[in-house]
Amino acid sequence: MTGPETPLRERARVDAAASDALADWSAGRYRESPTTFDAEQAIARRLGARVEAPGRVAFGFWAPELLDRRVPDGDIFLELLAPTEPLDLEQWHQVTDFERLLLPVSRHESHVFAVVDGLCAGTRALVGDFYALCWRDGEGVEHRIVDPLAVSVPFGAFAPAEILDPAELERGRGDRTYYEALAGSGVHKFGPPANILQLHVPTATAGGTLASLARHFERIAERLRRGLPLEDADAIYTGYDAVQLLPVEPTTVYETGPGFWAESSRTDGHCRVELTRPDTTNWGYDVVIAGMATVNPVLLESGRPHELADLAAVLHNWPGGPKMLVLDLVFGHADNQALEVLSPHYLAGPNMYGQNLDYRNPAVRAILLELQRRKVDFGADGVRVDGAQDFKWWDQGDQQLRHDDDYLQQMADVEQCVCGTAFRPWFIFEDGRPWPEEDWELASTYRAVIEAQRDDDVFQWGPLTFAHNTPFLYSFWLSKFWRIREMLTHGDQWISGTANHDTLRRGTQVNPELNINTRLGATRMEILDKAYDNPAVSLLTYAAFPGVPMDFLNASARASWGFIRNQDDRYGVKIVAEESVSLKWQVDEYSYSVPGNFTRLKALGFETRDDLSRFFEFLPALVEVTGYDLEQIAHLLSAVRPALAGPHPVTPADLKVLARAWMDDMHEYCNVSHSLSMLDEEQVAFTGALRAFRRARPWLREAYGEQDHFDYLRPIDGRTVFTALRQGPDGEQVYLVTHMEGNATAPFDPLALPLPGLAGEGWELALATPGIEPAYGGGDISLHDSTGLLFTRGG
């Protein structure tokens, strides 16, 4: 992939009149718009690098720091960079010379504009020119401002962005007919799907990229078109109406380097850069806001953001009907690294995640909404908003933090346009307010956003979908019964299910000495796997609960999962100490001994799981008692007798290397490709049949009515057995009985229980969980942990 052969200096020309016209237009918005926010919304549509015609690009930046520093117009430039040799974005490392050109700009207050002819815009097959804003201080030192609204950032959000034409991306979309079919007299509004598959792109396939994921889905789709059977490893990806990706926007970079764009020399006309293909490991939630409109280059096999649109096209062209693509957007906070890449005007001060965003600043508010619009235009039909309770602002009058529900409404109101079709995506909000207050689990209603929105088309994560769900602890299900009752009456606009990226991670952090339900398995790994891929829970979620069920691929594949982030230098050791308990839940001696697993830790001297386990018995305690003093921790670890495995004597640098090795090894270990060969055929078939059962009965999404029933069998007798009876609009009844935990029941006839509406003939067994004898067709049965039965009548 390469750009034009003509030198940048010979082809790039500023259109000063057009640049001035943009600055004048910006000034006019402030004079003529009803509010400053209206003005900023109009201006935000002109920010970034917009390809207006072949070779002609209009640039816009919001740079209030230039006003803060009183930088004169003559010291502000558009910086253009063009590689002198072809760039290969699929290459790990290259040293490249760039032509560098500084061009004058036009300015109105905090907004800077330039219109330039003769530039190369990137395409699927071509790497375009790169750009940034540049200014000189009073001592002649140059400073760079990267574009937070960039369309393509091949070397991450901290590097100059690439000019790329979204129109070219749209022209090449493979799902144009999908969007044309949605077009009508007004704006199309997406509603909820029947169910959702949530996945993390880097661990969802062996390739770990969006392109790899698209190929995987396309292969499955082609087998379905040809009527070919699916293996278990394919079946767990199917039967869903929507696929929700964990965040795909750029995340943090290595705190201590190396940088992916590292300049060794720079002059007015030349720049030599050491380029490294971005390779960070992250679960997706450590964002810096810059680059949110595009795709994390770590997820791109080709380095081209087209891969996200390609995945959308595969899902939209699915045989038997399109699947929705749902993007997980993180706009509620920024990592502290945002301080290095954003104007301080974006930020409102520190919080537990890093930095709050200044949503009350009209420009910030408008830019965030514009970032959202551009991202969803890649082809998403739905949006999940992470941490909606974190959208807050400080009320000076009342001296308290307030939730910015008006902003959440504005997010849900953003109109998209793809292939000429205007639409509004389906919206899901994760909101646990009053999180992070200590009583949040008790006090949260999980309805705050739903009740605040003007429309009734938004959803929230339900209480069993939120964090801190540990269904492998005895008494979990009865302790959550009050929440289940709320789900029945309010859950028609909730996401249901107990397995997702938060809950599975929290499960791996539980002290294994607690009251664990050992009936789930013979080992801790088996217990954890079955807790989050449980037949009885799936039966409950898909046949009894209202709302939209969601499954997490790592749970369905019975793969491992955890907090994945290898960029930390300062706190990396502390994070690993906190995560180390997951070793007890997710890694046994055999798994550790597999030659391809934990290669970095083995190279550091932790040859066996016992070696690492013994080290981890000391590390968390020392982090706590020393107040996270790495020097003291290293000294005390070195003094342990008999000596610990690993480096000796231990140094703080060794601890940081170990922390990075743990994160990288665990990231590879969590890839579902390692677990697919061990899937249980009966469980895969059962959950697939459940998904089909739910999709055939969309009325199950509705909240319970007067004729519906849900309860648990009494007396408890050392077990929790739920019963549910639902009445469909066409006269069909759905009835289930599920054993959630505890002792086996005495033999009983499920159809003879004294439940309202159950009596009478006509019941047929629709599904039975694994663990039920295939010959069972009715009558007395003894249910044990994780088993259940599903019956239907009429309809």
Side-chain angles (χ1 to χ4, degrees):
M1 294 184 288
T2 182
E5 297 180 358
T6 306
L8 181 64
R9 188 172 295 277
E10 296 179 16
R11 56 185 169 88
R13 293 290 182 269
V14 170
D15 185 333
S19 302
D20 290 343
L22 268 178
D24 292 341
W25 172 86
S26 173
R29 302 289 67 73
Y30 284 104
R31 293 192 304 268
E32 301 164 13
S33 300
T35 67
T36 303
F37 177 57
D38 290 323
E40 297 292 1
Q41 279 194 293
I43 296 169
R45 297 295 291 266
R46 302 291 186 96
L47 299 182
R50 297 180 301 110
V51 178
E52 295 187 329
R56 185 177 177 87
V57 182
F59 299 88
F61 297 87
W62 181 62
E65 59 267 49
L66 299 178
L67 293 179
D68 297 340
R69 295 179 171 90
R70 301 183 180 230
V71 181
D73 290 1
D75 284 325
I76 305 171
F77 309 94
L78 175 68
E79 180 186 21
L80 296 172
L81 301 123
T84 59
E85 297 292 336
L87 279 186
D88 184 356
L89 299 182
E90 299 179 37
Q91 185 173 316
W92 276 116
H93 184 267
Q94 53 198 310
V95 177
T96 303
D97 288 318
F98 283 81
E99 291 182 78
R100 183 170 181 263
L101 183 62
L102 300 180
L103 297 177
V105 297
S106 298
R107 176 182 178 191
H108 169 254
E109 299 295 345
S110 58
H111 290 102
V112 178
F113 299 96
V115 179
V116 183
D117 289 306
L119 297 182
C120 173
T123 65
R124 182 186 292 270
L126 182 75
V127 178
D129 295 327
F130 290 76
Y131 71 97
L133 192 64
C134 181
W135 62 277
R136 292 191 183 120
D137 61 24
E139 298 179 357
V141 178
E142 291 183 352
H143 305 268
R144 178 180 285 153
I145 298 174
V146 297
D147 180 14
L149 291 97
V151 181
S152 176
V153 287
F155 301 100
F158 292 75
E162 178 199 3
I163 301 169
L164 189 140
D165 187 3
E168 179 271 338
L169 184 151
E170 184 169 287
R171 286 192 295 272
R173 295 192 70 98
D175 51 3
R176 177 171 293 275
T177 56
Y178 167 78
Y179 285 103
E180 291 173 348
L182 297 176
S185 58
V187 177
H188 178 80
K189 180 65 179 74
F190 282 98
N195 56 357
I196 304 172
L197 174 65
Q198 185 195 41
L199 57 84
H200 176 243
V201 173
T203 59
T205 64
T209 63
L210 284 162
S212 174
L213 184 63
R215 288 194 299 271
H216 188 71
F217 274 116
E218 178 56 36
R219 183 181 62 81
I220 296 172
E222 185 58 26
R223 292 188 66 81
L224 291 173
R225 293 186 189 101
R226 294 172 180 266
L228 298 174
L230 296 183
E231 298 176 354
D232 292 342
D234 294 332
I236 62 170
Y237 292 83
T238 64
Y240 296 96
D241 282 355
V243 174
Q244 178 180 315
L245 309 180
L246 267 67
V248 296
E249 41 265 18
T251 61
T252 51
V253 295
Y254 298 119
E255 287 183 350
T256 56
F260 305 131
W261 175 290
E263 297 176 6
S264 57
S265 65
R266 184 200 295 181
T267 65
D268 285 349
H270 171 268
C271 187
R272 170 159 285 193
V273 187
E274 184 176 351
L275 299 172
T276 302
R277 181 181 171 89
D279 64 348
T280 49
T281 294
N282 199 284
W283 65 339
Y285 293 95
D286 301 304
V287 301
V288 293
I289 299 302
M292 296 288 276
T294 188
V295 186
N296 186 352
V298 174
L299 309 181
L300 300 175
E301 182 178 293
S302 63
R304 316 313 288 151
H306 300 66
E307 291 181 23
L308 181 56
D310 292 345
L311 174 62
V314 171
L315 298 176
H316 291 160
N317 294 325
W318 197 259
K323 292 181 184 291
M324 295 171 63
L325 174 64
V326 180
L327 295 182
D328 192 340
L329 301 185
V330 188
F331 283 101
H333 63 272
D335 186 272
N336 280 324
Q337 287 190 23
L339 294 166
E340 303 170 30
V341 71
L342 291 178
S343 162
H345 290 258
Y346 279 92
L347 307 172
N351 63 24
M352 63 187 301
Y353 304 113
Q355 295 292 318
N356 291 303
L357 296 171
D358 189 2
Y359 306 103
R360 306 299 283 181
N361 183 315
V364 173
R365 199 177 187 89
I367 288 171
L368 294 178
L369 291 170
E370 178 63 12
L371 287 169
Q372 171 192 315
R373 187 189 67 79
R374 296 184 188 186
K375 186 58 161 286
V376 175
D377 271 354
F378 271 96
D381 313 286
V383 172
R384 183 257 185 184
V385 178
D386 179 70
Q389 72 277 349
D390 297 325
F391 293 79
K392 299 175 181 177
W393 60 279
W394 181 253
D395 188 329
Q396 282 285 70
D398 291 341
Q399 289 292 292
Q400 62 177 305
L401 279 174
R402 295 195 180 278
H403 292 281
D404 200 340
D405 288 318
D406 289 340
Y407 181 75
L408 300 182
Q409 179 71 63
Q410 289 167 345
M411 294 183 80
D413 288 343
V414 171
E415 286 189 10
Q416 309 296 142
C417 186
V418 178
C419 297
T421 296
F423 66 92
R424 285 175 55 216
W426 176 54
F427 259 80
I428 314 165
F429 291 93
E430 178 210 33
D431 188 290
R433 68 184 76 174
W435 167 267
E437 294 179 17
E438 292 184 358
D439 67 339
W440 75 271
E441 285 192 83
L442 178 67
S444 179
T445 67
Y446 301 95
R447 299 192 299 276
V449 182
I450 291 172
E451 293 169 352
Q453 293 270 319
R454 287 191 300 270
D455 302 322
D456 61 358
D457 56 1
V458 301
F459 275 57
Q460 286 190 226
W461 271 27
L464 294 186
T465 305
F466 217 85
H468 305 302
N469 287 294
T470 50
F472 53 88
L473 295 180
Y474 276 124
S475 78
F476 171 82
W477 289 104
L478 277 183
S479 71
K480 293 292 184 181
F481 189 72
W482 66 285
R483 282 298 193 191
I484 291 174
R485 297 294 301 181
E486 288 184 333
M487 292 180 70
L488 307 181
T489 55
H490 302 290
D492 57 316
Q493 288 177 256
W494 277 349
I495 306 301
S496 59
T498 62
N500 61 71
H501 74 279
D502 267 339
T503 56
L504 185 52
R505 177 205 168 197
R506 295 297 185 185
T508 67
Q509 295 177 324
V510 170
N511 184 344
E513 303 305 318
L514 294 179
N515 195 20
I516 306 299
N517 181 1
T518 55
R519 290 183 175 89
L520 293 174
T523 67
R524 289 171 183 160
M525 287 179 67
E526 290 179 359
I527 290 170
L528 191 72
D529 286 345
K530 193 168 185 179
Y532 292 104
D533 181 36
N534 187 286
V537 177
S538 296
L539 188 58
L540 198 66
T541 302
Y542 275 84
F545 288 165
V548 175
M550 183 176 74
D551 299 327
F552 182 41
L553 179 62
N554 288 63
S556 301
R558 299 202 172 183
S560 295
W561 178 249
F563 179 66
I564 299 170
R565 171 179 172 148
N566 71 354
Q567 297 99 311
D568 289 280
D569 178 72
R570 182 177 181 183
Y571 291 111
V573 177
K574 185 175 187 292
I575 292 171
V576 169
E578 294 169 351
E579 294 290 313
S580 62
V581 67
S582 66
L583 181 70
K584 299 178 180 180
W585 283 109
Q586 299 192 99
V587 186
D588 58 19
E589 189 66 44
Y590 174 79
S591 299
Y592 194 90
S593 70
V594 172
N597 290 345
F598 301 97
T599 56
R600 299 167 185 83
L601 288 167
K602 290 172 182 174
L604 292 175
F606 300 99
E607 296 180 1
T608 68
R609 180 192 179 280
D610 286 343
D611 291 340
L612 185 62
S613 178
R614 184 165 178 254
F615 189 92
F616 278 165
E617 290 298 325
F618 287 92
L619 182 62
L622 295 180
V623 167
E624 182 72 24
V625 299
T626 65
Y628 192 52
D629 184 319
L630 288 181
E631 289 285 352
Q632 290 188 51
I633 294 170
H635 174 73
L636 293 171
L637 288 171
S638 299
V640 173
R641 293 293 180 271
L644 297 168
H648 193 83
V650 184
T651 67
D654 292 330
L655 292 174
K656 292 181 178 182
V657 170
L658 182 149
R660 170 74 179 275
W662 163 266
M663 286 295 184
D664 288 338
D665 280 346
M666 279 301 294
H667 175 250
E668 293 180 2
Y669 182 67
C670 288
N671 195 292
V672 300
S673 64
H674 304 315
S675 304
L676 297 180
S677 62
M678 297 177 285
L679 290 172
D680 181 86
E681 181 179 0
E682 190 178 7
Q683 171 69 357
V684 171
F686 171 73
T687 54
L690 261 183
R691 294 194 290 274
F693 184 90
R694 178 72 172 224
R695 294 177 70 213
R697 295 164 178 81
W699 58 269
L700 286 172
R701 206 210 87 196
E702 303 301 323
Y704 275 43
E706 293 182 358
Q707 294 181 304
D708 296 326
H709 159 89
F710 190 98
D711 208 344
Y712 58 89
L713 294 187
R714 297 175 177 82
I716 292 175
D717 286 342
R719 76 285 188 278
T720 300
V721 177
F722 289 142
T723 58
L725 179 63
R726 303 210 59 186
Q727 183 74 42
D730 59 354
E732 183 186 30
Q733 291 179 296
V734 171
Y735 167 63
L736 62 89
V737 54
T738 59
H739 189 305
M740 309 307 297
E741 61 181 4
N743 300 324
T745 67
F748 74 106
D749 184 351
L751 296 176
L753 294 175
L755 305 179
L758 182 62
E761 302 296 326
W763 287 108
E764 295 183 0
L765 181 64
L767 283 172
T769 63
I772 303 293
E773 288 294 329
Y776 177 78
D780 286 354
I781 189 172
S782 177
L783 295 180
H784 56 84
D785 199 311
S786 305
T787 63
L789 299 164
L790 177 64
F791 299 88
T792 60
R793 178 169 65 179

